[in-house]
Amino acid sequence: MKFSVLILGNSSATPIYERHPTAQVVNHNEQLFLIDCGEGTQMQLSRYGIKSNRINHIFISHLHGDHYLGLVGLISSMHLVGRKTDLHIYGPAALQEILAVNFKYSETELRYNLVFHPTNPEESEVIFEGNCISVRTFPLRHRIACTGFRFQELPRPAKLNMEKVQQLQIPGPLLNGIKWGLDFTDLSGNVHRSDELTSPAPKSRSYAYCSDTVRIPDYLPFIQGADLLYHESTFLHEMSDRAVETFHTTALEAGEIAAESSVGKLLLGHYSARYKTKELVLLQDEARTAFSNAHLSVEGHWYDVD
Amino acid sequence: MKFSVLILGNSSATPIYERHPTAQVVNHNEQLFLIDCGEGTQMQLSRYGIKSNRINHIFISHLHGDHYLGLVGLISSMHLVGRKTDLHIYGPAALQEILAVNFKYSETELRYNLVFHPTNPEESEVIFEGNCISVRTFPLRHRIACTGFRFQELPRPAKLNMEKVQQLQIPGPLLNGIKWGLDFTDLSGNVHRSDELTSPAPKSRSYAYCSDTVRIPDYLPFIQGADLLYHESTFLHEMSDRAVETFHTTALEAGEIAAESSVGKLLLGHYSARYKTKELVLLQDEARTAFSNAHLSVEGHWYDVD
C-alpha cells in the first residue's frame, strides 16, 4: 500500500527562485492529502502532475504566510475547474476569517462545499480518521500558534494462510475475526491460534511533520517512532541564538530530536534563504552528526514512508 | 530614458505550470512600478533578477485572486529582508482590509511604512505623479470593480542648441525657460524663438494596461494613442459569448480596440488556461486581423514603450 510524501516547497519565509514556501502532498493508498499550502502551491501541483481536485483534505500548521498564502488561489482554482466534492480544511480558527474576507471581495461563491475544521493549538487531537489512516495534531512552539501533524496508518488485519483455512474447513463468517486475532476452535475442540492461521499484519506506518517550531521536549511523544519525520531545520547550529529568537530549529537539533524520538528517517526542510542550494548539504552533514539517516528534502521528490 | 514593461505573469484565473497569474513590472528611468501581483509574483521577481525592494509603488487593478494574491507574501518578504522605505499601494479600498486580516493573524508588524491609496472604481483620476511620470486610473467593466492604468511620461523640456546659446551669450538663468518654450530677446531687441534655440523635446510616451474587462467604449479615451497597450485577450472570438458572460475580451476585440484607439503596439495577455502555449499564436493571428502590430506577451520578456 503506497505511503509517500511529495515535497512541493521547503523554503522558509522568504522564498527564492526554485525554492518554494512550504507545501507537501501525502499519498496514502492513492488518497491525497495536502500539508500546508504556501504561495505557489497550485503551480507546484501542476508542475508535478498532481490534479488538485484529487485532494480532499488540507492541513494548515499555522498562519504565517509561507504556510498558507497559496490556499485562496488553490480553493479558487478548484472552483474554476468545476469541483463538486467537499473540501475539508483543518487549521487555526482564524483561517476561516481570512478565507471569508478574500472570497467576500472577489464575490466568489464556491460551487462545492468547504468544510472547515478548526484545530486546537493547545492539545493534541485526532482530526481525521479514514478507512486506513488517521491524522493527529500536536502543539509545536512557534511565534504564533502552530501544530504538527502525525499521519498514522490504522492497524491492518493479519493475512490468512489460505492453505490452513481450507485444511481446517474454517467457515467463511469466522475469517474476519481470525484476521483480527481471534482463535479458532474446531469441531474436535482443538484450539488453533490466530497467529498460527495467519501471517503477521503489515506494520502500521507513520509520518510526522514538524514545521515551524523551536526545540522543546513537549512534542517528542507525538513523533516517537515515526517511520519518517519531516522536521524543519531553518539554520545551521552556529545560528542557534537566531533559531531561538525566531522560534525555529537548527539542523543539529533536528538530528538530535530524530535520535531521541527513534524515528526511522529524518527529512530536513524549511531552509533559510541565506543558504544557497549548494550549501544546503551543510545542514545535512550537521544533522547526521546526531542522526545518520538524515536527508535533505528536495522539491519534486517523493519520499516513501517505510 | 528607459521605459519598458516586464511580463511576470500572463495567465488568466487558473494558472498552469509556467504560465503565472498577472503581474508586470514597469521600469521608467530605473524607477520600478509593479502592476498587479498574482500568486507567485515574489518568486517571479526573484527569477528575473528584480530586487523587490526597488519597487516603491504597487498598483492593483481589482480583487480577483489572480491579480492580488501574491501581495501579502511580497509585502512580508520585503519586511523580512529589512525594508525601511515606504511602500505605496494603490488599489480597491477593501484590499486594505484583506491585508490587515492577514497581518493580524500572522502577528506581523511591518518595519516599514505601508501607505495605502484607495482607488476610485467609478472615475478616472491621477493617482501618482512623480518627477517624470504620472499614473492615471480609469474604470474598466468586469464582474467586480476594476481599473486600468495609464503610465504617462510628463512633458519633457526641449534640448538646448548649445552652439547657439554660446553664440548669443544667453545668460544661464534664462536657459530653463527657453527649454520650456520661452523666447529670448537679445540686447539688440532681436527675438530668438525657443524652437530656433532647441531641438524638439522627446515625445511623451505612454503605456496603458487593461485587465480584466469586457469590451466597452467607455475606456477608449483613456488608452487613446498609447505607445504600448497591454490588453487582456482571454479567449478566441469563437468564445465571445463566454467572454461576455465572464466580463472578458476576445483577441479579435483586443485588436479592434487597439485599432480604434490608435495605439502604437498591442500586447496580448491574460490567456485562458484552455489554450496550450503552442496554441496561443491563434490569439495573435486573430488580433492581427484587426491590428497588425499585435503581439503575444511572453513571461520574462521586457517590452519597450516607444
Side-chain angles (χ1 to χ4, degrees), chain B:
Chain B
M1 191 181 282
K2 189 165 190 171
F3 192 5
S4 54
V5 180
L6 169 66
I7 304 299
L8 297 175
N10 54 21
S11 178
S12 67
T14 316
I16 58 179
Y17 179 56
E18 288 303 338
R19 295 232 302 265
H20 297 78
T22 301
Q24 39 187 264
V25 175
V26 175
N27 181 333
H28 185 262
N29 197 24
E30 297 309 326
Q31 185 173 22
L32 302 188
F33 304 88
L34 185 66
I35 304 179
D36 281 341
C37 186
E39 183 179 350
T41 294
Q42 60 174 326
M43 278 87 93
Q44 289 290 85
L45 286 168
S46 160
R47 176 179 195 167
Y48 296 116
I50 309 286
K51 290 210 182 309
S52 61
N53 275 338
R54 284 189 61 200
I55 296 168
N56 297 326
H57 301 273
I58 301 177
F59 302 88
I60 301 295
S61 63
H62 68 298
L63 295 182
H64 279 154
D66 55 322
H67 292 255
Y68 81 88
L69 284 176
L71 196 54
V72 173
L74 178 61
I75 291 171
S76 302
S77 293
M78 286 171 162
H79 161 76
L80 288 170
V81 299
R83 183 186 181 101
K84 295 277 186 288
T85 318
D86 289 0
L87 178 68
H88 295 265
I89 297 182
Y90 310 76
L95 180 55
Q96 201 167 12
E97 183 183 338
I98 293 174
L99 297 178
V101 74
N102 280 278
F103 292 131
K104 174 181 168 189
Y105 292 115
S106 61
E107 298 183 11
T108 301
E109 290 199 22
L110 297 177
R111 292 191 200 98
Y112 61 91
N113 198 19
L114 196 154
V115 188
F116 191 82
H117 306 263
T119 50
N120 182 345
E122 305 294 341
E123 280 187 40
S124 173
E125 57 185 7
V126 172
I127 52 172
F128 171 79
E129 196 153 31
N131 288 332
C132 48
I133 197 161
S134 70
V135 182
R136 171 181 282 284
T137 62
F138 49 90
L140 298 172
R141 188 169 303 161
H142 195 43
R143 192 163 63 72
I144 59 174
C146 183
T147 61
F149 301 106
R150 181 175 180 133
F151 287 68
Q152 180 77 48
E153 285 188 319
L154 301 184
R156 288 157 71 185
K159 203 168 173 215
L160 289 169
N161 180 330
M162 291 311 291
E163 207 170 313
K164 288 194 179 165
V165 166
Q166 281 159 10
Q167 188 188 320
L168 295 168
Q169 298 185 305
I170 305 177
L174 302 187
L175 296 180
N176 201 40
I178 292 167
K179 286 198 283 185
W180 285 102
L182 296 184
D183 299 334
F184 169 63
T185 308
D186 64 24
L187 293 174
S188 318
N190 300 316
V191 174
H192 303 270
R193 291 218 322 275
S194 170
D195 61 5
E196 292 165 357
L197 301 172
T198 60
S199 50
K203 179 177 171 294
S204 162
R205 298 166 293 176
S206 59
Y207 171 58
Y209 171 88
C210 297
S211 186
D212 301 355
T213 190
V214 72
R215 178 189 192 164
I216 51 166
D218 308 43
Y219 61 85
L220 298 192
F222 300 106
I223 65 175
Q224 180 68 34
D227 298 277
L228 181 64
L229 167 67
Y230 177 94
H231 200 290
E232 71 131 297
S233 59
T234 307
F235 303 107
L236 284 169
H237 202 68
E238 65 191 16
M239 296 199 69
S240 61
D241 289 352
R242 180 80 182 140
V244 170
E245 186 190 343
T246 58
F247 292 86
H248 284 299
T249 312
T250 69
L252 176 62
E253 290 169 335
E256 289 172 349
I257 289 163
E260 288 165 24
S261 310
S262 308
V263 305
K265 178 175 176 175
L266 169 64
L267 267 188
L268 303 170
H270 202 266
Y271 313 127
S272 166
R274 61 173 45 72
Y275 303 117
K276 294 192 174 65
T277 299
K278 66 182 178 190
E279 295 168 335
L280 293 178
V281 72
L282 298 174
L283 295 164
Q284 180 176 277
D285 292 346
E286 188 176 275
R288 285 185 177 177
T289 63
F291 184 76
S292 61
N293 201 13
H295 302 267
L296 291 176
S297 67
V298 177
E299 290 187 14
H301 283 232
W302 283 99
Y303 296 90
D304 286 336
V305 181
D306 56 18

Side-chain angles (χ1 to χ4, degrees), chain A residues 62-304:
Chain A
H62 68 297
L63 294 183
H64 279 153
D66 55 320
H67 292 255
Y68 81 88
L69 284 176
L71 196 53
V72 173
L74 178 61
I75 290 171
S76 301
S77 292
M78 286 171 161
H79 161 77
L80 288 170
V81 299
R83 184 185 180 101
K84 295 279 188 287
T85 319
D86 289 0
L87 178 67
H88 296 264
I89 297 182
Y90 309 77
L95 179 55
Q96 202 167 11
E97 184 182 336
I98 293 173
L99 297 178
V101 74
N102 280 280
F103 292 131
K104 174 180 168 190
Y105 291 115
S106 61
E107 298 183 11
T108 301
E109 291 199 22
L110 298 177
R111 293 190 198 98
Y112 60 91
N113 199 17
L114 196 154
V115 188
F116 191 83
H117 307 263
T119 50
N120 182 345
E122 305 292 341
E123 279 186 40
S124 173
E125 57 184 7
V126 173
I127 51 172
F128 171 79
E129 196 153 33
N131 289 331
C132 49
I133 198 161
S134 70
V135 181
R136 170 181 283 283
T137 62
F138 49 90
L140 298 172
R141 188 169 303 161
H142 195 42
R143 192 162 63 73
I144 59 173
C146 183
T147 60
F149 301 106
R150 182 175 178 134
F151 287 68
Q152 181 75 50
E153 285 188 319
L154 302 184
R156 288 157 69 184
K159 202 168 175 214
L160 288 169
N161 181 329
M162 291 311 292
E163 206 170 313
K164 287 194 180 164
V165 167
Q166 281 160 11
Q167 187 188 320
L168 295 168
Q169 298 185 307
I170 305 176
L174 302 187
L175 295 180
N176 201 38
I178 292 167
K179 288 199 282 186
W180 284 102
L182 296 183
D183 299 335
F184 168 63
T185 307
D186 65 22
L187 293 175
S188 319
N190 299 317
V191 174
H192 303 270
R193 291 217 322 274
S194 169
D195 61 5
E196 293 165 356
L197 302 172
T198 60
S199 50
K203 178 177 172 295
S204 162
R205 297 166 295 177
S206 59
Y207 171 58
Y209 171 87
C210 297
S211 186
D212 300 357
T213 190
V214 72
R215 178 190 192 163
I216 51 165
D218 309 44
Y219 62 84
L220 297 192
F222 299 107
I223 65 176
Q224 180 67 35
D227 298 277
L228 182 64
L229 168 67
Y230 178 93
H231 200 290
E232 71 132 297
S233 58
T234 307
F235 302 107
L236 284 169
H237 202 66
E238 64 190 16
M239 296 198 70
S240 60
D241 288 352
R242 179 82 182 139
V244 170
E245 186 191 342
T246 56
F247 291 86
H248 284 300
T249 312
T250 70
L252 176 63
E253 289 170 336
E256 289 172 349
I257 289 162
E260 288 165 25
S261 310
S262 308
V263 304
K265 178 176 176 174
L266 170 64
L267 267 188
L268 303 170
H270 203 265
Y271 314 127
S272 166
R274 62 173 45 70
Y275 303 116
K276 294 191 173 66
T277 299
K278 65 181 179 192
E279 296 169 336
L280 294 178
V281 71
L282 298 174
L283 295 164
Q284 180 175 276
D285 291 346
E286 187 176 277
R288 285 184 179 178
T289 63
F291 185 77
S292 61
N293 202 12
H295 302 268
L296 291 176
S297 67
V298 177
E299 291 187 13
H301 283 233
W302 284 99
Y303 296 91
D304 285 337

